[in-house]
Amino acid sequence: LIIILLLVEFVSFYFVIKTMNGIRIWIAAEDYWTKQQKNAHNALQQYGTTFDEFYYNQIPGFLSSYMGDHNARLEMEKPDMNYEYARKELILGGIHPEDTADAIFIFRWFRNIYYIDRAVYYWSTADTKIEDFIAVSQQLHAIISSPLDKNDPHAQEKKTAEIASLVQQSNVL
């Protein structure tokens, strides 16, 4: 009887440790994602004021964590998830390779709990906003890269207004 109780305790302890570690991983991943999103936004702001390509070229690197997390979430939502693909995408999203198993465990086991479901809802909503942000950054790049119409005396004013509008849109996003 004592051996059975010890075994039950061990299994329970293992499950609790695995769950707590998975929660820690997701909190750290959200923190990393948020910082990368802010870095992308700051780079876009700098690009919109300096027109320096250096800042524009930083944006994809900052958003690579978004792509990894986005692809991993979509894969983990599937009933027949490809574990290795989800793992690879989580790593791209900034999760340490040794932590991916617990991250997947938490997502798959607790996905339908109300507060986890709400978090995933907000995650997917944020994905849409990031897609909009990427579109704004591409539009901004197209405008900054395009030459002025020499036949239009107001071309510079129009270009400046379009740039300001897109930078404002990025602030809202």
Side-chain angles (χ1 to χ4, degrees), residues 26 68-69 72-73 76 85-96 100 103-104 123:
W26 283 111
D69 290 343
R73 179 180 57 79
M76 290 185 299
Y85 177 74
R87 183 179 184 283
K88 178 182 76 78
E89 292 300 315
L90 286 171
I91 293 167
L92 179 63
I95 292 179
H96 191 276
T100 56
I104 292 170
W123 182 0

Side-chain angles (χ1 to χ4, degrees), residues 33 65-75 89 123 127 131:
W33 184 92
S65 65
Y66 150 73
M67 287 305 301
D69 290 343
H70 172 77
N71 293 337
R73 179 180 57 79
L74 293 178
E75 190 62 33
E89 292 300 315
W123 182 0
D127 282 354
E131 302 255 343

Side-chain angles (χ1 to χ4, degrees), residues 87-158:
R87 183 179 184 283
K88 178 182 76 78
E89 292 300 315
L90 286 171
I91 293 167
L92 179 63
I95 292 179
H96 191 276
E98 293 177 7
D99 288 338
T100 56
D102 286 349
I104 292 170
F105 167 78
I106 289 293
F107 190 93
R108 299 283 288 185
W109 273 70
F110 299 105
R111 168 65 177 90
N112 293 319
I113 293 176
Y114 174 75
Y115 52 88
I116 302 292
D117 183 60
R118 296 304 303 160
V120 173
Y121 168 78
Y122 290 121
W123 182 0
S124 63
T125 301
D127 282 354
T128 302
K129 298 294 183 187
I130 293 291
E131 302 255 343
D132 294 343
F133 177 84
I134 291 168
V136 165
S137 70
Q138 291 169 342
Q139 291 171 6
L140 183 64
H141 183 63
I143 291 169
I144 290 173
S145 301
S146 66
L148 288 175
D149 181 358
K150 296 184 193 256
N151 297 326
D152 183 356
H154 303 289
Q156 184 61 47
E157 292 168 13
K158 290 177 187 175

Side-chain angles (χ1 to χ4, degrees), residues 12-25 101-103 105-106 109-110:
S12 298
F13 182 70
Y14 175 78
F15 184 77
V16 167
I17 294 298
K18 190 170 185 69
T19 302
M20 294 304 292
N21 189 49
I23 292 168
R24 175 198 58 81
I25 292 162
D102 286 349
F105 167 78
I106 289 293
W109 273 70
F110 299 105

